[in-house]
Amino acid sequence: MNLWTRSGSETPRRIYLDANATEPLRPEAREAMLAAADLTGNPSSVHRAGRMARAVLEDARDQVAKTLGVAPLNCIFTSGGTEANVLAMHGLGQGRRFLVGQTEHDAVRKGVPAGTPLAWLPVDATGQVRLDVLEAELAQDGPPAFVCLMLANNETGVLHPMAEIVRLCRIHGAHVHVDAVQAAGRMALCVEEMGMDSLAVSGHKMGGPKGAGALLLRGPAPARLDPLFEGGGQEQGRRGGTPPLPALAGLTAALQASLAQPAQPLAALRDKLEQAAVAAGAVVNGGNAPRLANTTNLSLPGRRAQGQLMRLDLDGVCVSAGSACSSGKVAASHVLDAMGLGDLAAQAIRVSLPWNVTEDDINQFIRAYGAMAQSAAPTIAG
């Protein structure tokens, strides 16, 4: 059975507009992965096959470190963004009190070490952190702070004012950890220039493979970092486990390819989509703040997100409601709740444009969304 066939109609063309869940694999990443998969050696082995594998691993490390602005030995490869975030919090946050944004991804919200002093940082109606509250929290007596604020929100694309965040944290001796999983590959990043102390990235959000990420550390190398698990002492003793060489080669190739792609075409297509959605009755959540070029969050008053997803899916359109890390469930968004959106939070979908989106894709979404908005809305209970 073709899941996209609708009774009495032609099969709709399937389009994928859920890049913030995962990007389609870039051809450059696929090619790099296949080449690395042909290598037999373990990078920790000293024979010729091992040295060949080690050369690929260290070339990947050099490229990622140079691109993101850290010393190569301060690029620690991980299994993805979640591990990179948790490694930073557990490996660098000892003896500090945690200040965590209310709109952070659950990888950070649930990754704070148990028993650690914790305060939540509220956001304004646009989704940006309240700098006045951050400054007041930083000035509190007690141990220095470990501040966790993502660069770009995964649900709205809203960018926190990172330069001002870093400035305030420097004054008070706080460590700034940035979840850049959604930002890396979609905007220019340089850890040394931007001033954050640690930064997490993930390969599959750039068009690379799932299962590869990195934690980048600012300052002299190799920076101190207590491992979550020691294993065989890989990654300078800061992250045990045999490196997944094909995945890391794919991450590196995807990062390079993504930054070579201009953001303006994506922004123009997103703006076209938003204008049509607003004309159909939608509200753009976080639309007044700086955002990623590929991301829009749309609430359709009177329509539950679950119903919107099902209707758009039948019309061949893949979008999401909130994060894709909740076991496939459509639950209330803590991000939109923190922004004070009330009922609109349960009526929101996220549209995130992938690197290979076309204008035909946008036009198909506009047609499907307009038809959904014009159809009779089901009664919303409670």
Side-chain angles (χ1 to χ4, degrees):
M1 176 181 177
N2 189 326
L3 295 178
W4 298 99
T5 301
R6 299 178 63 192
S7 177
S9 66
E10 295 182 358
T11 303
R13 185 174 67 96
R14 186 190 315 197
I15 61 171
Y16 181 81
L17 302 179
D18 196 18
N20 287 12
T22 190
E23 287 271 11
L25 187 66
R26 291 177 179 269
E28 297 91 344
R30 181 188 299 275
E31 182 177 351
M33 291 169 65
L34 290 173
D38 282 337
L39 296 175
T40 301
N42 186 316
S44 297
S45 298
V46 297
H47 48 60
R48 178 175 174 80
R51 295 196 304 272
M52 291 175 65
R54 168 65 68 173
V56 172
L57 175 65
E58 296 309 326
D59 181 63
R61 192 186 315 278
D62 288 347
Q63 290 188 54
V64 172
K66 181 179 180 180
T67 300
L68 298 178
V70 300
L73 286 180
N74 279 348
C75 173
I76 300 111
F77 286 128
T78 67
S79 63
T82 295
E83 186 192 338
N85 280 313
V86 175
L87 178 58
M89 290 187 285
H90 286 251
L92 300 169
Q94 303 96 327
R96 291 179 178 265
R97 56 195 172 93
F98 275 65
L99 304 180
V100 179
Q102 287 184 339
T103 58
E104 295 302 293
H105 192 281
D106 278 347
V108 170
R109 286 159 48 91
K110 297 178 180 179
V112 178
T116 303
L118 169 65
W120 296 102
L121 298 172
V123 297
D124 61 22
T126 72
Q128 291 187 307
V129 67
R130 289 270 307 275
L131 292 173
D132 58 332
V133 177
L134 171 61
E135 187 170 19
E137 288 287 350
L138 289 170
Q140 294 290 322
D141 292 334
F146 191 95
V147 177
C148 297
L149 285 167
M150 57 179 26
L151 182 51
N153 187 266
N154 53 300
E155 295 190 26
T156 63
V158 167
L159 304 175
H160 281 311
M162 197 53 61
E164 185 62 13
I165 291 166
V166 169
R167 186 189 73 80
L168 292 173
C169 289
R170 288 285 165 268
I171 293 172
H172 296 279
H175 180 106
V176 185
H177 174 67
V178 174
D179 176 354
V181 165
Q182 292 296 341
R186 295 175 178 152
M187 58 184 289
L189 285 178
C190 180
V191 171
E192 203 62 48
E193 290 180 5
M194 298 175 74
M196 62 277 287
D197 297 292
S198 54
L199 180 115
V201 301
S202 180
H204 75 103
K205 307 291 188 177
M206 312 174 197
K210 303 169 185 68
L215 174 63
L216 295 308
L217 307 178
R218 186 175 66 90
R224 180 195 65 81
L225 177 71
D226 293 335
L228 292 173
F229 44 87
E230 294 187 16
Q234 294 88 349
E235 298 297 301
Q236 299 293 313
R238 295 172 294 184
R239 196 274 184 186
T242 301
L245 202 58
L248 296 175
L251 177 157
T252 305
L255 176 60
Q256 303 300 327
S258 64
L259 293 177
Q261 182 175 4
Q264 290 87 346
L266 277 180
L269 291 173
R270 183 201 64 187
D271 291 348
K272 176 180 179 179
L273 179 154
E274 287 183 354
Q275 290 165 9
V278 169
V283 176
V284 180
N285 301 315
N288 293 326
R291 286 179 294 152
L292 291 175
N294 81 313
T295 306
T296 185
N297 192 288
L298 301 170
S299 286
L300 189 59
R303 294 296 188 90
R304 293 284 187 185
Q306 179 78 45
Q308 294 183 58
L309 294 183
M310 293 175 63
R311 173 64 185 266
L312 291 171
D313 194 40
L314 288 172
D315 282 332
V317 179
C318 296
V319 295
S320 67
S323 171
C325 302
S326 301
S327 302
K329 297 180 291 185
V330 178
S333 165
H334 71 273
V335 172
L336 303 183
D337 282 342
M339 293 166 62
L341 294 185
D343 290 342
L344 290 178
Q347 299 161 4
I349 64 170
R350 179 186 67 188
V351 185
S352 46
L353 310 185
W355 63 266
N356 59 352
V357 68
T358 67
E359 189 155 12
D360 285 344
D361 296 337
I362 300 303
N363 291 336
Q364 182 171 335
F365 173 85
I366 289 172
R367 289 191 298 270
Y369 193 86
M372 177 181 68
Q374 291 170 14
S375 62
T379 300
I380 297 178

